[in-house]
């Protein structure tokens, strides 16, 4: 729905409406991680899991295991899987029926968002996704 640019001299390549293989991004992995495994298998059969970078998880069984881990911890990390040198932390936003309806993410260069940074950002992203999910009047 929206994208806010950071304050650095560079910008992320993504834009609202850009079609990106979901299995290669943090937000794109957070959404199917919140769905039943059978539904995800059907989506993967239809969409495939093409490798976008050498880091993309392109094996469907490995991706399903990865999505189960994302569901357990509540957030996803896109770790240079869609674009080299870019890292993303994403979480799912749910509608009033607790159905995955969207997501929120924060992206940065990989050198600026190391493992420590991801540990700091993850609960913030999950918290904002939860606040949006609980907001009155949401659709």
């Amino acid at each position: 729905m929206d994208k806010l640019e950071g304050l650095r001299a560079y910008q992320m390549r993504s834009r609202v409406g850009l079609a990106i293989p979901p299995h290669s991004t943090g937000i794109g992995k957070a959404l199917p991680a919140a769905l039943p495994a059978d539904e995800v298998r059907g989506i993967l059969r239809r969409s495939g899991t093409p490798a976008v970078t050498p880091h993309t998880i392109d094996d469907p069984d490995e991706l399903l295991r990865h999505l189960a881990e994302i569901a357990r911890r509540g957030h996803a990390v896109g770790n240079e899987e869609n674009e080299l040198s870019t890292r993303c932390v994403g979480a799912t936003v749910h509608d009033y029926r607790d159905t995955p309806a969207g997501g929120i993410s924060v992206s940065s260069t990989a050198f600026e968002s190391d493992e420590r940074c991801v540990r700091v950002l993850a609960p913030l992203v999950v918290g904002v996704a939860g606040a949006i999910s609980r907001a009155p009047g949401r659709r």
Side-chain angles (χ1 to χ4, degrees), residues 73-75 89-93 104 120-135:
R73 72 174 179 245
H75 72 276
V89 178
T92 305
V93 172
I104 186 168
V120 169
L121 282 175
L124 298 172
V125 171
V126 170
V128 170
I132 295 168
S133 297
R134 292 185 302 276

Side-chain angles (χ1 to χ4, degrees), residues 64-86:
L64 285 168
R65 287 189 293 276
H66 185 65
L67 294 175
E69 173 62 22
I70 291 167
R72 186 191 66 71
R73 72 174 179 245
H75 72 276
V77 177
N79 196 12
E80 299 187 74
E81 296 165 70
N82 182 62
E83 190 171 353
L84 293 175
S85 302
T86 301

Side-chain angles (χ1 to χ4, degrees), residues 3-36:
K3 177 185 175 185
L4 303 175
E5 293 294 345
L7 302 175
R8 303 280 190 200
Y10 52 82
Q11 294 182 350
M12 297 290 119
R13 184 175 60 124
S14 64
R15 63 176 164 69
V16 175
L18 180 66
I20 297 174
H23 69 287
S24 67
T25 69
I27 197 168
K29 292 187 295 184
L31 287 163
L35 296 173

